Amino acid sequence: MLGNRLVKNKSSLSFLCLLGLLASCGEAPKSLALMREVGAGGWSRRDSFSFDMPVRDSLSLYHIDIVGRLRNTYLHDSLRVILHVSAPSGEWFRDTVRLSLTHDHDRLWEDFRFAYCSRVRFTQTGVWRFDLWHYMDAEILKGVSAIGLYVKRERNGKK
């Protein structure tokens, strides 16, 4: 049954392939992009997008960006999101973030990248979970086609 669910969910299958690649390498990659597509019906305020990130190095520093893609139908000058971070031990942290956007409605879509936090140290090894919700005025947010995180590990004190 688990196999059938994974085949139906391309995101899960892609993530498992990524985990296999990470496990087969001697060290974790310098950067990791974690993205989810938002369905054509829009992003419901009740729906979160979850991202699991394996951390094997608790001494390195990381940079975390919130990334996404907006369609030309996105009508707002900002995107307000809630970011919930869970450590492998179950401890968690929640933050609300207002992403200021300059959006060109003449383009079919635009990508954005917002520097969320720099020089973060994940204090525990294991799988960290990131969940994103929107907290805009609309119950169903239209015009966001993808949302995610970009995590980059520093090398020897440098990006």
Side-chain angles (χ1 to χ4, degrees):
M1 175 148 169
L2 179 61
N4 289 340
R5 283 186 16 215
L6 290 178
V7 171
K8 289 179 184 175
N9 188 340
K10 292 179 185 176
S11 298
S12 295
L13 186 58
S14 298
F15 180 71
L16 286 176
C17 290
L18 178 63
L19 280 178
L21 179 64
L22 290 175
S24 67
C25 296
E27 65 181 73
K30 291 182 192 176
S31 62
L32 183 62
L34 306 164
M35 293 287 293
R36 296 285 186 268
E37 283 188 39
V38 176
W43 185 2
S44 171
R45 184 178 293 154
R46 292 182 300 266
D47 293 339
S48 71
F49 289 92
S50 299
F51 311 93
D52 291 336
M53 187 181 95
V55 173
R56 294 191 291 176
D57 179 359
S58 62
L59 298 177
S60 291
L61 297 173
Y62 295 83
H63 300 276
I64 303 171
D65 296 341
I66 298 173
V67 296
R69 176 167 286 169
L70 302 176
R71 294 185 191 101
N72 60 0
T73 57
Y74 189 76
L75 303 176
H76 310 280
D77 63 351
S78 67
L79 175 60
R80 295 186 312 267
V81 297
I82 298 169
L83 176 63
H84 181 98
V85 182
S86 300
S89 67
E91 296 174 275
W92 58 273
F93 168 79
R94 183 173 288 172
D95 197 5
T96 56
V97 182
R98 182 180 185 270
L99 312 173
S100 296
L101 305 168
T102 54
H103 185 48
D104 183 357
H105 297 281
D106 294 333
R107 296 181 180 183
L108 186 56
W109 74 81
E110 277 187 277
D111 292 331
F112 68 87
R113 184 170 168 175
F114 180 83
Y116 170 67
C117 203
S118 293
R119 302 184 57 81
V120 173
R121 180 169 283 128
F122 294 102
T123 57
Q124 303 169 19
T125 59
V127 177
W128 286 70
R129 182 177 196 122
F130 298 83
D131 294 289
L132 278 170
W133 289 268
H134 83 80
Y135 72 100
M136 300 292 285
D137 292 334
E139 178 66 30
I140 305 291
L141 185 60
K142 301 284 186 176
V144 178
S145 61
I147 191 75
L149 299 170
Y150 180 79
V151 181
K152 183 172 181 152
R153 183 171 51 104
E154 284 189 5
R155 278 263 193 217
N156 301 327
K158 298 178 184 176
K159 279 188 179 180

